[in-house]
Amino acid sequence: MNIDEDTSAWLGCPTPLEMYKHHCALLEDELNQTQVMLHKARRNIAGLVQLSDDLVTGKTSAEDALNKARSEVARLNRENSEMDRKINGLLTVAEQRDYLTRENQRLLGELRKVTEPQP
């Protein structure tokens, strides 16, 4: 019985060279898939960077608009305060006018009583 006989070709077993070639082909496929995934990831990162830049720009413009709105609100509050003081002054003058009108009517009534002939 000869046990040194090469049996690798009996059942279609690949030769070491064929195994290395197959292994290289698997590695090449894996490398190609990795490159595709890397390219996709780089595009995603570029998109995220652009989105971040857009958000920062939008945030800045929103903050500017908010600051302008706050300034406008402060200005309108000052104007409202001034108008309130003017209105309160006018209401005081109106109350004084009404008081003086009533007092004038009362005094006219007393004057008529004094100046009218008594029956």
Side-chain angles (χ1 to χ4, degrees):
M1 190 157 159
N2 187 359
I3 50 175
D4 291 333
E5 190 174 348
D6 186 17
T7 59
S8 62
W10 287 5
L11 297 174
C13 291
T15 64
L17 180 61
E18 290 173 334
M19 288 175 45
Y20 289 134
K21 286 182 179 181
H22 180 68
H23 188 69
C24 284
L26 290 176
L27 289 175
E28 284 178 8
D29 287 343
E30 188 175 333
L31 182 60
N32 287 336
Q33 289 174 356
T34 304
Q35 285 177 338
V36 167
M37 290 172 27
L38 179 62
H39 182 66
K40 183 178 179 182
R42 284 180 176 161
R43 280 189 312 206
N44 287 343
I45 290 170
L48 291 173
V49 168
Q50 181 63 40
L51 181 63
S52 175
D53 290 344
D54 293 345
L55 289 174
V56 167
T57 302
K59 179 184 174 220
T60 302
S61 64
E63 286 173 344
D64 291 343
L66 177 62
N67 289 334
K68 287 179 184 177
R70 284 181 177 164
S71 297
E72 183 69 12
V73 166
R75 184 186 65 78
L76 291 173
N77 281 337
R78 282 191 305 274
E79 286 181 14
N80 187 31
S81 240
E82 291 171 10
M83 290 290 212
D84 191 38
R85 283 193 294 272
K86 288 177 183 178
I87 289 172
N88 284 337
L90 291 173
L91 289 174
T92 302
V93 169
E95 287 174 11
Q96 291 172 351
R97 181 205 61 206
D98 293 343
Y99 171 77
L100 290 174
T101 303
R102 286 190 303 272
E103 190 64 23
N104 190 24
Q105 292 301 319
R106 185 184 66 78
L107 290 174
L108 280 175
E110 287 180 13
L111 184 61
R112 284 188 188 128
K113 286 181 187 176
V114 172
T115 59
E116 286 181 0
Q118 296 292 333

